[in-house]
Each structure stands twice: as C-alpha cells, then as structure tokens.
Amino acid sequence: MSYQVLARKWRPGNFNEMVGQEHILRALINALNEQRLHHAYLFTGTRGVGKTTIARIFAKSLNCETGITSKPCGECSACKEIAEGRFIDLIEVDAASRTKVEDTRELLDNVQYAPTHGRFKVYLIDEVHMLSSHSFNALLKTLEEPPPHVKFLLATTDPQKLPVTILSRCLQFNLKRMPITLIEEHVKHLMQQESVAFDDASIRLLAHGADGSMRDALSLVDQAIAFGGGKLEVSEVQAMLGTVSRDRVMNILKALISGDAPAVMQCVVELSDLTPDYANVLADLLALLHQTALAQKAPDSVDENMVDREELQRLATQVSTEDIQLFYQIGLIGRRDLPLAPDPRGGLEMALLRMLAFRPTPEGQAIASATTAPPAATKIPPTSTDMPVTAHQADNTTQSTAQQITSNYPAVADTQAVPTAPLKLEDANWTGLVEAMNLRGMVKQLAVNCVLHEKSPTEIRLLLNQENEQLLNPAMHKKLEEALCNCLQQTLKLQIEMGEQQVESPAQTTARNQQERQQSAEKSIQQDPVVQALKENFNAEVVPSSVKPR
Ligand SMILES: [Zn+2]
C-alpha cells in the first residue's frame, strides 16, 4: 500500500474534525444554521492554518444533498465529489499560477450560468492577492452584482495586497496561527491512530519547527517518520531538524551567568560536534534570554512550551536584569553580523565572549580602575574601551543602545556600601545585611541566595543550596567578604558552605512577595465594581497577566 501523507490522509472532512480556529468555525456554523449567507467570504492567515480546508468544508455545507447544513453528510455524491476534488460546481483556482486577465475572465464568463448539479456554484480562489489588477477588476464586477447562485470563497496569506474595493465586499475571517500545544496534541493523537512510536520531546521539537502551521507540522512528522525508520525519537528529530537541544543552549547561558569563559567555550566545542546552524544557536539563546527576562518581570507570560519553568525561575534569580538586557543586545548584534564573520563558529564565540567582556562585574584589577572611574551615568565603563566593539557598528542607534545599557551600571565597584549608621553584627539579620551592603551583579545573586547559618563576633557562616552552586567561586566569595567587612566596619571571616537551607533566602522572600502582590492585585481588580459590571454586561474577561501590582 502506498504511503499517503498525513496532511492529506487526516484532512478534516467536516467542521467537527477541525483543530483550532474555533472562533471562525462558530461564526460559520451559526451562519449556516440560520441560513444567513453572504455571497463572498475571505479567509486570511499564514500558510497551513486551514484556510482552504475550511473553504472546502464550507463548500460541502452549501451543496450537501441533505440541504444547507453545518454538518455535511459526507455520504451524498456532492460531499464525496468535493472531498475527491471533482465536484463540477466547485471551481478551485490557485491565483498564484493564474494571473492573466484572460484566465480570470474565462472563469468569470461562466458565472451567470446556473450550477450543473449543486445548489451553488462555488468559486474557491486561493492566494487571491496574486491576481493581476485586470483580474481584480473582472472579479470586482462580479462581486458588485453577484448572481444568487454563486458563492465566492477567497483565501490569502497577504490581505494587505487586496484592493479595498474587494475587501469591502467580502465577509472577512482572520485565521490564527496554531498554538504549539494544539499542534502537539493533534500530532500525538494522530501518531496513536497511526501506531507510530514517539516520545514527547520529539513531538515538541516538531511542533516548534512548524511555526504555527499544522500542515507544516504534519509534513515534518512525515519526514521524521521516514528519517527515523517508522518511529519518532528525539535524537533523530534533532538531527533531522538541525536543532540543538535546548539543554545545550541552557548550558551556555548558565556558563555566561557564572562568568565562566572556559566553560562557555567548552559548550561551543561540544556543540560543534553536531555541526549546528550557528545563527540558530544564537537565536535560541536570544529566545532563552527573553524568557528569562519574562521570568523576572512577568512570570505569568513565560512560554511553558519552551522551557522548564522551574529551571528558568532559578536562572532568573541568578542574573541581574541589566545583564540579561546586555546579553540580549550583544546577541542580537552578533546574529546580525554573523554572516560577516570569517566563519560562523568564530562569530558565535566572539559574540559570547563580548557578553562576558562587557559585563560590569570587573574582577581583580578591573575593580581598582573602576573605583577611580567618574560616575557611570555620563561615561561608558572602562571595559568598553578595551573592546570597542560598539564603536565599529555602522548603525548609530544600535551603538547608543548598547552604550546606554552598559552605562546604566555603576562603574563603582560592586562592593560599594555606604550605610548611614554602621550596622552591628549582633543585631543584624541576613536580609538586612544584604540590603545594607547594596550589592550588584553576581555577588548580589550569591548573597541573596544564601541564608545565615551561624555567626560569631569574628565569623559569619552562610549556607548555599546545591542548585545555586555555580554562583560560588573564590572571586565572588572574596568580594562578599569584603562587602561584609565594609558594611559592618570590622574584620570578619566569611564561610560559605553548601547544604540544605532550612529558612527562606532573601531571593525566595522576594519571589514570594512579588507573587503575593500579584495575587492581591488580581483579586482587587476582580472585585472592582466597574470590572464586575464589564464582566456581566459585556462578557469581558480579566487577563491576569495584564494586572500589575502597584
Ligand atoms: Zn452530503
């Protein structure tokens, strides 16, 4: 038996079998049930989201021998012939291949004649924006005075290119891109029906690769099944798509956050074994940075399809908002300039090293030079002059953005601490100390993730969770110790041990407070009498993620 591609084999035959696009289906089903029919419909949306599928089902609904119905029988000759693409009164045109005015005129010449078999003569014109202006005029003439037995179903990926005169005569439906979860669910369902073995990760990768198009998703699945010898396995799917596992990109980000250049380079070495598309690696890293920024500022908006939420939240507490913005900016420029690099891998490595070079956590010598630098707001930190990458950018706006981002950092050392009245060690708690030290960057992340274990007049012992281990290195340890001594104005020894924390760390407290404030903000919005009236009278809904605590 010959293999039939999934998209054709599982093409929906009626509205019930459609996946997604509920808002459009509801409108069409209601119109059919109430027999409120327009003479021209326009379906817009990107490729593979169901425009022509909906149009063909609609053509069945109009011509089914059981009567005009939202549930075409699928049994009568009209339904069957439409499904097989040989119904004489359904005239399908792909405008992408038929733009000459003669063709369209010839097509529309027959409009006046009554349908041969069906109730309606249905013209399905795909990619209608590709018609020539002469063809548009011919179409417009028909649309102005349409014969009662004719229906036009137009589809386009690019409605902007349609003349307003045509647009204004059509009932327009805008199809949405398919959400990844919906594609995943549908593909899983089909794989079960087809008895194809699969793992969830491979389906997720394929759904991502489809970029919102169900048809593309099914084509990718077809390919992956062939590639994997009848089953779907994540390693094979990765190899086929040329995608690098998200774990590897996550590892790069972790190494960047801990400021560990050798580890970053090691990640690249491991990556290069897979001969990836380096531009994609940068794109994946940018996407991950975007999600990390969301996790910090708007946790509800995090795309759960993309990353493990818990791991992301953990990362988000380990990196400053400014660093994320800086990495992102450098990554964007690095991606833009990648084609100019002598080789793509070198381009990626330079972009990653640049992220570390511009990062305002100067170590060793840099502290000394930074402390003597003038206030940051007026000047770029000294690291920028060491590596004048932005100065080479032709694009001035990019340059100034990068400068702005770097200049938002205080050039003064991370360990700056000027409490008005010196704190006393014996009556200080850890959260208070962390605040008083006024830390920034990595050392702050280290501090807020620790809890106080023991203290004596000459020593402070902290506990750090195993999962935040990468925050701790000798340089950061020393920096934190200096900051403590400065803040308390005494000599102290700092010990940091790994171990399970029994109390909430300052980072956890902040996260919890933020969550509580968000919840109470959402609650007060829900209880607001105006909001309640809107909900009752207009069927309005509050989008929780749009609520911001004051
Ligand atoms: Zn039928």
Side-chain angles (χ1 to χ4, degrees), residues 64-66 72-76 78-79:
C64 179
E65 286 167 13
T66 64
C73 71
E75 303 290 329
C76 69
C79 283

Side-chain angles (χ1 to χ4, degrees), residues 151 256 261 366 441 468 470 478 489:
K151 299 288 176 204
L256 280 172
N468 291 318
Q470 71 276 21
K478 184 155 174 281
Q489 300 190 355

Side-chain angles (χ1 to χ4, degrees), residues 397-452:
T397 51
T398 325
Q399 183 185 345
S400 64
T401 322
Q403 283 183 358
Q404 214 174 353
I405 288 169
T406 42
S407 64
N408 280 340
Y409 288 100
V412 188
D414 293 353
T415 48
Q416 176 198 36
V418 198
T420 40
L423 272 171
K424 290 260 186 330
L425 178 56
E426 55 266 33
D427 48 36
N429 64 29
W430 182 238
T431 306
L433 269 174
V434 171
E435 267 171 33
M437 284 188 283
N438 194 21
L439 303 165
R440 308 227 165 222
M442 269 291 278
V443 68
K444 175 175 186 186
Q445 295 310 314
L446 173 62
V448 295
N449 281 289
C450 284
V451 298
L452 189 62

